[in-house]
Amino acid sequence: MAHKKPLPETALIHPPRPVAGGFRSLVPGTERASTVLFDSVAKWRNRSGFDESTYTYGTTGTPTTRDLQNRIAEWEGGFATVLFPSGLAAVVYALLPFVVPGDHVLVPANVYDPVRTLANGLLKRMNVAVEAYDPLVGAGIAAQIKPTTRVVWVETPGSITMEVSDLPAIARAAHAAGALVVVDNTYSAGWYLRAFELGADLSVHALTKYPAGHSDLVMGSVTTRDEATWRAVKDMAMQTGQCCAPDDIYLVLRGMTTMPLRIRHAEQVTLSLARWLKTRPEVKLVLHPALPDCPGHDIWKRDFTGSTGIFSIVLQDDYGADAAARFIEALQYFGIGASWGGSASLALTYDLDRSRSHWPHRGALVRLAIGFEDERDLREDLERGLAALHHSEGPAQ
Ligand SMILES: *Cc1c(COP(=O)(O)O)cnc(C)c1O
């Protein structure tokens, strides 16, 4: 039978891979380099970091780098990918190449918090104005787009308050005004949200989360719809020496072969725990995109093909910040720490009055990241947390 192109999950495990020197295994090699050697002075003189069929120096990548870049570009259905040493660096390099002083950028009010820090720091210094929009605004974003708007940033669902944005409507309005649309696609790891099909020009991931999958490294990727956008990102990455260690890249290559399996498992357990928490009297709202409490749930049903392992609960009005701390500190298996996508479950609470102008709930919000522990242990653990809410008020110990 003729060979056919593999489906996406198969392609993560069986990518086309050149055979070097007749050695074949199931594992990609890890090619390290600072110096790359050239066959002739002419080849050295004609080198170009934009030519991804050749190699120039460690900072512009080795075959290990190209392997992961190609795999992510293929996975997301984009033109090409550039890797960065953290998800945050990828976020920064999806913005910086496209703005000059005097420009305007729109970001959702629920954006990943370091983007706000970037807006008040480097971008402010560059005289780039960053304005927040309501993540549920949809086509109404047109009213906030100015002639100087260069980038409309979308993060969906928001990673703490979980609002699902109408990406196609936002993209139509942005494109009508000549602005680029960047999607932070970390939540779905590029799988359950087809960002390019829904209008994105660039898709950013924290590879730190599901692709790496084991809480042991940080890395990010920027994938673009077309060559011109890729050149702009790549150019700035090369100007500023952005690159990743091949050993870390190898770990992401390895992680990605099991990523769909891990996400599907997390999806099932997370949904089950979220539905159960919804029945608990201590819980006012369960913000999980697949459940109706979540703002933008209908958009999630339309645009996403699944959900992953994070969601938030809003406690009843009586349970404030101290109660949230008691809840979290009573948990045995949920660690207190940032990120998600590894084997261990995590829980955090966020002070939303600080970052939001209109956060309507009095009860504290707790964001849960579900790992791969036995669901029964996690449920018992959450029961422990809920029981701790009933203990006497006072500072958490
Ligand atoms: C984690 C995260 C990032 C940043 O990734 P790091 O690798 O931790 O720097 C960016 N965006 C979102 C939505 C994230 O959750």
Side-chain angles (χ1 to χ4, degrees), residues 86-89 91 112 155 159 184 186 206 208-209 218-219 339-340:
S86 69
L88 177 55
V91 163
Y112 173 65
E155 185 186 322
S159 63
D184 185 333
T186 298
T208 309
K209 310 279 178 26
V218 286
M219 199 182 295
S339 202
W340 73 78

Side-chain angles (χ1 to χ4, degrees), residues 108-193:
N110 60 357
V111 75
Y112 173 65
D113 207 41
V115 175
R116 252 187 295 276
T117 312
L118 178 73
N120 293 325
L122 181 59
L123 292 177
K124 186 176 256 174
R125 222 174 82 188
M126 287 174 65
N127 192 27
V128 172
V130 179
E131 192 183 333
Y133 69 86
D134 173 358
L136 301 171
V137 70
I141 190 124
Q144 279 180 273
I145 296 179
K146 305 176 182 189
T148 52
T149 306
R150 295 294 306 135
V151 173
V152 178
W153 193 270
V154 177
E155 185 186 322
T156 182
S159 63
I160 296 163
T161 41
M162 309 304 295
E163 299 90 341
V164 186
S165 294
D166 189 342
L167 171 58
I170 291 172
R172 273 192 298 276
H175 290 154
L180 286 171
V181 176
V182 185
V183 174
D184 185 333
N185 209 356
T186 298
Y187 171 85
S188 85
W191 195 23
Y192 287 153
L193 181 76

